[in-house]
């Protein structure tokens, strides 16, 4: 039998999506010529595509033993296998070895992804910045750095990198969406909507896009338009917790408490460790005159939050006071004051209504 036709046939099978058949053919080619590194690499690649990452690593190790020179592709693919096996340290070492052989954008991106999976955001940024020295006009790298800075709360630097990315590729929907979200965070709803209009042409079926558009309309107090956009987002991605949460907020604001309860409950089922969802569920239950369950929701919110969010304690204190339990209301108000003093200036200034409500409750409790 001849090795090369089998090799080509295997490549064709893989291109057609018939990975298992291609693997068998690559293994047959390897049996004919066990010292051909190209065959071993393709066997490893097929195993990787089938999700057999441990077996793929073993094949790549064998390929390295057979190979007479360092091979970037082997190191890179070993790194991918280790990443999916959640062996992150080994994965990073493989990617670094790959870059020592030959630098590639894709290796930098995957190494940054490993650090991001471990929530080591600064190290991920450092990797991407090194990649940008190698290819400074890569819009995908610029966008990724911008998104990481956004996740780290450094909005100014995030906007700088996203702007640089848009100057290279002005129609990239992911970058436009991220830039629009920063503009939206600064309460410039009209500016954000202009960005989103451009993104909608490229990705009309993006749930994240319609979610952000819906919250822009919410910020402009156009509640019917907000609900319409958010429901479209929910249709496109029914398992995205933030969309259900935002729908709960809009319905609560418009006084539709039964609908708000439904959406907050859905959000909690999808993401049970988000304290604000429990707090707004408690507010909704209080408006539905379910005092006992409202208190249970507040307790859960406070348990998850650990006392950092002063609005949970203030809303809890108000609900207890309205329910006729002044003693427990005083206890929660004392907790609110502790959290308020511990908060930074930016958090305190975010909602001026908090101070007004706190002062009103203080007088009502006779403190």
């Amino acid at each position: 039998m001849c090795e090369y036709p089998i090799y080509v046939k295997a490549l064709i099978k893989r291109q057609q999506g018939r990975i298992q058949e291609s693997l068998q053919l690559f293994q047959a080619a390897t049996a004919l010529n066990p010292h051909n590194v190209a065959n071993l690499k393709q066997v490893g690649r097929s195993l990787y595509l089938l999700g057999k990452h441990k077996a793929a690593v073993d094949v790549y190790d064998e390929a390295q033993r057979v190979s007479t020179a360092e091979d970037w592709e082997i190191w890179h693919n070993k790194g991918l296998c280790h990443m999916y096996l959640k062996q992150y340290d080994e994965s990073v070492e493989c990617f670094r070895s790959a870059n020592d052989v030959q630098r590639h954008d894709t290796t930098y991106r995957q190494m940054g992804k490993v650090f991001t999976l471990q929530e080591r955001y600064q190290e991920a940024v450092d990797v991407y910045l090194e990649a940008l020295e190698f290819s400074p006009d890569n819009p995908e790298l610029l966008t990724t750095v911008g998104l990481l800075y956004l996740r780290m709360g450094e909005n100014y630097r995030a906007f700088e990198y996203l702007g640089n990315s848009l100057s290279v590729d002005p129609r990239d929907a992911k970058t436009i969406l991220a830039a629009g979200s920063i503009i939206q965070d600064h309460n410039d709803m009209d500016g954000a909507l202009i960005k989103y209009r451009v993104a909608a042409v490229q990705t009309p079926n993006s749930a994240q896009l319609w979610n952000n558009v819906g919250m822009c309309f919410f910020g402009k107090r156009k509640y019917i338009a907000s609900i319409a956009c958010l429901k479209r987002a929910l249709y496109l991605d029914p398992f995205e917790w933030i969309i259900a949460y935002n729908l709960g907020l809009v319905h609560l604001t418009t006084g539709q408490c039964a609908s708000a309860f439904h959406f907050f409950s859905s959000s909690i089922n999808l993401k049970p460790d988000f304290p604000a969802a429990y707090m707004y569920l408690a507010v909704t239950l209080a408006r539905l005159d379910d005092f006992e369950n409202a208190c249970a929701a507040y307790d859960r919110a406070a348990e998850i939050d650990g006392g950092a969010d002063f609005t949970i304690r203030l809303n809890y204190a108000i609900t207890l006071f309205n329910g006729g339990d002044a003693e427990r209301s005083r206890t929660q108000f004392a907790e609110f004051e502790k959290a308020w003093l511990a908060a930074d200036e930016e958090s305190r200034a975010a909602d001026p209504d908090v101070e007004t409500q706190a002062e009103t409750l203080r007088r009502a409790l006779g403190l």
Side-chain angles (χ1 to χ4, degrees):
M1 286 179 72
C2 187
E3 172 193 354
Y4 186 68
I6 298 172
Y7 180 88
V8 173
K9 186 178 179 182
L11 287 175
I12 293 168
K13 293 285 187 187
R14 183 193 290 165
Q15 195 69 27
Q16 293 172 337
R18 295 152 76 175
I19 310 298
Q20 186 62 47
E21 290 178 49
S22 79
L23 172 62
Q24 290 167 357
L25 289 165
F26 282 129
Q27 286 172 330
T30 304
L32 290 170
N33 187 355
H35 299 292
N36 187 329
V37 177
N39 287 339
L40 287 167
K41 286 197 293 188
Q42 294 301 341
V43 170
R45 181 67 180 166
S46 294
L47 288 167
Y48 165 77
L49 291 171
L50 288 167
K52 299 176 180 178
H53 301 115
K54 182 70 178 70
V57 169
D58 294 338
V59 172
Y60 284 126
D61 285 339
E62 177 62 25
Q64 283 181 318
R65 280 193 290 274
V66 172
S67 178
T68 54
E70 289 289 318
D71 189 313
W72 166 82
E73 188 182 350
I74 294 174
W75 281 115
H76 177 83
N77 289 336
K78 271 182 72 177
L80 288 174
C81 293
H82 283 301
M83 180 176 75
Y84 285 108
L85 289 166
K86 297 186 178 180
Q87 298 167 348
Y88 296 127
D89 291 339
E90 292 90 335
S91 177
V92 169
E93 285 305 312
C94 288
F95 288 135
R96 283 186 174 140
S97 298
N99 273 337
D100 288 341
V101 176
Q102 188 177 0
R103 295 203 290 177
H104 282 76
D105 287 350
T106 183
T107 305
Y108 281 114
R109 283 202 301 273
Q110 294 299 337
M111 199 192 314
K113 183 180 176 181
V114 171
F115 285 126
T116 304
L117 288 169
Q118 296 175 280
E119 298 185 355
R120 292 158 65 181
Y121 300 126
Q122 188 55 57
E123 289 172 81
V125 167
D126 293 340
V127 168
Y128 291 127
L129 290 177
E130 186 182 337
L132 284 169
E133 292 173 14
F134 172 60
S135 52
D137 293 329
N138 185 317
E140 189 175 346
L141 288 172
L142 289 164
T143 299
T144 306
V145 173
L147 291 172
L148 280 170
Y149 276 128
L150 189 60
R151 189 175 284 189
M152 292 161 68
E154 297 184 37
N155 285 6
Y156 178 78
R157 297 186 77 177
F159 199 70
E160 178 188 344
Y161 279 97
L162 292 170
N164 291 341
S165 178
L166 285 172
S167 67
V168 179
D169 184 1
R171 294 191 174 278
D172 183 70
K174 184 179 177 183
T175 313
I176 294 168
L177 193 60
S181 71
I182 296 173
I183 296 168
Q184 188 174 345
D185 284 345
H186 287 82
N187 293 319
D188 183 0
M189 303 304 173
D190 291 323
L193 283 169
I194 290 167
K195 290 283 186 191
Y196 295 146
R197 191 176 294 126
V198 178
V201 176
Q202 308 297 319
T203 55
N205 295 321
S206 166
Q208 290 81 6
L209 172 68
W210 287 107
N211 175 68
N212 286 13
V213 170
M215 292 316 287
C216 276
F217 284 125
F218 179 63
K220 289 163 68 70
R221 301 190 178 188
K222 295 182 177 179
Y223 300 125
I224 294 172
S226 176
I227 288 170
C229 292
L230 288 168
K231 285 200 171 176
R232 179 164 182 176
L234 194 66
Y235 168 77
L236 292 167
D237 190 351
F239 298 109
E240 180 57 72
W241 69 271
I242 191 71
I243 301 171
Y245 173 77
N246 287 337
L247 273 164
L249 286 178
V250 181
H251 282 97
L252 181 60
T253 304
T254 55
Q256 300 174 67
C257 294
S259 295
F261 171 79
H262 164 73
F263 288 115
F264 284 131
S265 298
S266 297
S267 177
I268 287 166
N269 285 333
L270 293 166
K271 188 173 174 64
D273 60 348
F274 187 56
Y278 288 96
M279 180 185 76
Y280 285 116
L281 177 65
V283 172
T284 305
L285 287 165
R287 291 190 184 178
L288 291 167
D289 297 324
D290 188 348
F291 179 72
E292 188 177 328
N293 283 320
C295 290
Y298 276 124
D299 287 333
R300 181 65 180 144
E303 181 188 339
I304 296 169
D305 178 67
D309 188 348
F310 50 78
T311 57
I312 293 173
R313 301 294 185 176
L314 179 60
N315 283 326
Y316 195 0
I318 291 169
T319 299
L320 287 166
F321 180 80
N322 291 336
D325 194 340
E327 191 58 42
R328 284 171 69 197
S329 179
R330 287 191 185 92
T331 304
Q332 290 301 324
F333 190 76
E335 292 294 327
F336 157 73
E337 289 189 312
K338 270 193 243 173
W340 177 260
L341 291 170
D344 55 43
E345 284 298 322
E346 188 179 352
S347 299
R348 292 187 200 177
D351 187 357
D353 195 41
V354 170
E355 285 190 81
T356 309
Q357 293 290 335
E359 190 54 43
T360 304
L361 182 60
R362 186 181 282 109
R363 284 199 301 271
L365 291 169
L367 298 173

